């Protein structure tokens, strides 16, 4: 298995396990798949979620850790995800959710698992484009909570991807960032100086 999943902070995992054991937290989550699930719900594949707030013409600005995401497995498949976030008091459960990114994340992880090179999987959110990618970091021993995409790392846009960007196609950071930079740079107004 070429994927080296970084360990999640133990307090983050504990908050997810506590929320899963709480009928109130699960019921209020309003995730139909989690409510209908039969059998135990297990948090798996913790992935650090990094946010890329700004892309400059020079490339990526530093990313920031937004939290950890756990896929919630019931039986053979993930039916939801749980997010945790860091607060001044430590790690806290944020919310459960479902939707297309659950299956897209599983698909991208399976795809990455067939690669020959070893990677550390992370998630990278690009809010300016409403885009989420699987970030395959080449330094498997790195702290999953820190760093920014290296030019040789891979980004796999998850479906649904922004128009014109192919979902589930791995791109080197050095190749994809110029495309993203072009996408988030506003076009000059008509009649304004160039």
């Amino acid at each position: 298995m070429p994927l080296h999943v970084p360990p999640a902070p133990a307090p983050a995992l504990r908050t997810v396990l506590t929320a899963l054991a709480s009928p109130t937290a699960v019921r209020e989550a309003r995730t139909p798949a989690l409510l209908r699930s039969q059998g135990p719900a297990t948090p798996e594949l913790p992935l650090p979620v990094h946010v890329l707030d700004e892309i400059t013409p020079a490339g990526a600005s530093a990313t920031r850790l937004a939290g950890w995401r756990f896929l919630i497995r019931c039986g053979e498949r993930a039916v939801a995800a749980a997010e945790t976030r860091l607060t001044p008091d430590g790690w806290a459960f944020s919310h459960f959710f479902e939707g297309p990114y659950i299956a897209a994340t599983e698909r991208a992880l399976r795809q990455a698992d067939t690669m020959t090179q070893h990677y550390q999987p992370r998630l990278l959110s690009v809010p300016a484009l409403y885009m989420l990618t699987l970030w395959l970091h080449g330094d498997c021993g790195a702290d999953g909570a820190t760093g920014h995409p290296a030019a040789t790392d891979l980004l796999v846009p998850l479906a649904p991807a922004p128009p014109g960007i192919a979902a589930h196609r791995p791109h080197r950071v050095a190749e994809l960032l110029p495309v993203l930079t072009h996408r988030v740079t506003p076009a000059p107004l008509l009649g304004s100086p160039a």
Side-chain angles (χ1 to χ4, degrees), residues 27-194:
R27 190 170 49 253
E28 288 179 1
R30 295 188 182 12
T31 55
L34 191 56
L35 288 169
R36 288 191 309 266
S37 66
Q38 300 294 319
T42 312
E44 295 182 353
L45 292 168
L47 297 173
V49 180
H50 294 263
V51 176
L52 183 59
D53 287 317
E54 183 179 354
I55 304 172
T56 66
S61 64
T63 63
R64 64 179 168 83
L65 180 68
W68 284 79
R69 181 174 295 174
F70 297 78
L71 293 181
I72 306 299
R73 186 167 303 284
C74 293
E76 296 296 315
R77 64 185 190 98
V79 297
E83 288 244 345
T84 62
R85 59 185 171 82
L86 190 58
T87 69
D89 295 325
W91 287 99
F93 171 75
S94 177
H95 61 282
F96 291 114
F97 67 94
E98 61 182 77
Y101 286 133
I102 307 300
T105 301
E106 277 195 309
R107 176 181 171 186
L109 287 167
R110 280 193 309 271
Q111 179 183 356
D113 205 28
T114 65
M115 296 178 176
T116 55
Q117 185 173 339
H118 293 259
Y119 290 103
Q120 182 188 82
R122 304 170 175 199
L123 294 172
L124 181 65
S125 173
V126 185
L129 295 174
Y130 302 101
M131 180 178 178
L132 184 65
T133 69
L134 178 64
W135 168 14
L136 298 172
H137 190 51
D139 182 359
C140 295
D143 178 357
T146 62
H148 63 278
T152 56
D153 287 352
L154 295 179
L155 296 177
V156 183
L158 301 181
I165 296 176
H168 298 289
R169 182 178 172 268
H171 302 268
R172 294 247 177 250
V173 168
E175 297 165 357
L176 187 58
L177 275 184
V179 173
L180 300 183
T181 302
H182 183 266
R183 288 292 186 89
V184 298
T185 303
L189 296 174
L190 291 177
S192 63

